[in-house]
């Protein structure tokens, strides 16, 4: 971690009518930190992420992302972050190159810079021979790694990853985490949700959401010590068994 707060929240809340999806969460995430945002389905993780990336207005509380207020400066927030959802956000009917060019343009990367960044991306991923291949023909693991790299092509300060490793094999998951480590080493903040508790061990810090509330937040080692267990999976089960809502 390189220091400096890139994500700040205090009392951040989102209600839908009488239902409180996210209830007064607070956190500070540093530049270069890999922050795990954990919780069962229905715990409020995705709703919180949508507030951080400017897709949902909070009901109350405060939040700043990359130095910008999520209420008043949501467009500036979007320019300074990358996002990769569970479905990778790529277009199956476009080729590898077309996907890269499309997202580079969408993120406003100047043509000359995009050309250089594309060459570096293709070289890093070993995709030179697949540039004209339609995305639907690529294995899931390659789609996943390409989606991450495309989400980083405009060199954002923060990348939000919403369960990015769902449905892929353990070897590919490990390779994906190597991309995360590389981004973190460059000072990029990585905010990641996952339902694989072994991945929580890879994070600098992890929080666990239960029924819209942040029930715990600390380093994996400190959380295991606090709950007197050996794995993050056991920490999660101790907290999640009290949950009243789910899918």
């Amino acid at each position: 971690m390189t220091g400096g707060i890139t994500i700040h929240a205090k009392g951040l809340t989102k209600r839908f009518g009488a239902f409180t999806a996210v209830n007064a969460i607070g956190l500070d995430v540093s530049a270069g930190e890999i922050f795990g945002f954990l919780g069962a389905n229905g715990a409020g993780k995705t709703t919180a992420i949508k507030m951080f990336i400017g897709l949902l207005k909070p009901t109350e509380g405060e939040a700043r992302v990359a130095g910008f207020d999520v209420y008043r400066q949501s467009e500036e927030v979007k320019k300074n972050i990358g996002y990769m959802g569970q479905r990778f956000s790529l277009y199956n009917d476009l080729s590898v190159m077309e996907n890269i060019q499309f997202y580079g343009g969408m993120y406003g990367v100047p043509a000359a810079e995009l050309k250089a960044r594309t060459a570096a991306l293709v070289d890093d991923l070993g995709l030179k021979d697949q540039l004209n291949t339609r995305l639907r023909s690529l294995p899931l693991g390659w789609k996943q790694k390409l989606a991450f790299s495309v989400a980083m092509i405009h060199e954002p300060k923060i990348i939000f990853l919403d369960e990015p490793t769902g449905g892929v094999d353990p070897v590919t998951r490990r390779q994906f985490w190597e991309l995360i480590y590389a981004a973190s080493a460059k000072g990029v903040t990585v905010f990641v949700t996952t339902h694989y508790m072994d991945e929580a061990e890879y994070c600098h810090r992890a929080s666990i959401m239960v029924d819209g509330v942040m029930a715990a937040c600390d380093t994996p080692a400190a959380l295991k010590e606090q709950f007197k267990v050996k794995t993050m999976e056991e920490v999660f089960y101790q907290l999640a068994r009290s949950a009243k809502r789910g899918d």
Side-chain angles (χ1 to χ4, degrees):
M1 291 182 289
T2 58
I5 301 301
T6 57
I7 304 173
H8 164 77
K10 182 178 180 181
L12 193 65
T13 299
K14 182 61 181 180
R15 298 189 187 94
F16 298 97
F19 176 69
T20 303
V22 175
N23 190 3
I25 64 171
L27 55 85
D28 286 304
V29 183
S30 299
E33 183 172 9
I34 302 172
F35 188 87
F37 200 57
L38 316 177
N41 290 332
K45 305 187 305 298
T46 297
T47 299
I49 281 187
K50 285 181 177 179
M51 289 190 283
F52 285 131
I53 67 176
L55 293 182
L56 275 179
K57 291 289 187 184
T59 304
E60 61 187 55
E62 62 183 65
R64 297 185 70 83
V65 175
F68 299 101
D69 184 275
V70 298
Y71 290 92
R72 298 179 293 103
Q73 299 171 296
S74 61
E75 291 306 311
E76 291 301 318
V77 168
K78 292 173 187 175
K79 292 176 184 177
N80 284 277
I81 65 171
Y83 173 77
M84 177 180 165
Q86 299 173 39
R87 298 188 182 278
F88 309 154
S89 306
L90 298 177
Y91 289 94
N92 276 322
D93 290 333
L94 297 182
S95 69
V96 170
M97 176 61 83
E98 288 169 339
N99 268 286
I100 296 171
Q101 295 296 310
F102 174 78
Y103 280 96
M106 187 180 71
Y107 283 127
V109 180
E113 290 183 29
L114 181 58
K115 183 177 180 180
R117 293 179 194 179
T118 298
L121 184 160
V122 168
D123 187 57
D124 287 345
L125 295 182
L127 285 173
K128 186 176 181 179
D129 294 333
Q130 282 80 39
L131 284 179
N132 296 315
T133 300
R134 292 196 185 278
L135 197 74
R136 66 172 69 256
S137 301
L138 289 184
L140 182 60
W142 284 110
K143 290 181 183 178
Q144 178 199 55
K145 289 183 279 190
L146 178 61
F148 179 87
S149 298
V150 165
M152 292 284 294
I153 201 161
H154 58 306
E155 299 182 347
K157 298 176 182 178
I158 305 162
I159 185 164
F160 289 88
L161 306 173
D162 193 2
E163 296 192 4
T165 56
V168 299
D169 63 84
V171 173
T172 303
R173 283 204 287 131
R174 182 64 196 184
Q175 291 173 341
F176 185 81
W177 273 87
E178 290 174 0
L179 296 178
I180 291 177
Y181 290 142
S184 171
K186 294 177 181 177
V188 177
T189 300
V190 181
F191 192 98
V192 56
T193 76
T194 178
H195 63 271
Y196 295 113
M197 289 303 110
D198 61 315
E199 292 186 348
E201 306 276 0
Y202 306 154
C203 300
H204 296 129
R205 284 190 301 148
S207 68
I208 298 176
M209 292 279 287
V210 178
D211 291 344
V213 176
M214 190 177 292
C217 181
D218 211 326
T219 65
L223 288 171
K224 288 183 286 187
E225 174 64 25
Q226 178 184 342
F227 289 91
K228 309 301 180 187
V229 294
K230 295 182 179 180
T231 67
M232 282 298 294
E233 188 168 12
E234 292 173 286
V235 174
F236 176 78
Y237 281 132
Q238 282 202 30
L239 290 168
R241 64 189 178 190
S242 65
K244 295 180 175 61
R245 70 196 201 203
D247 289 334

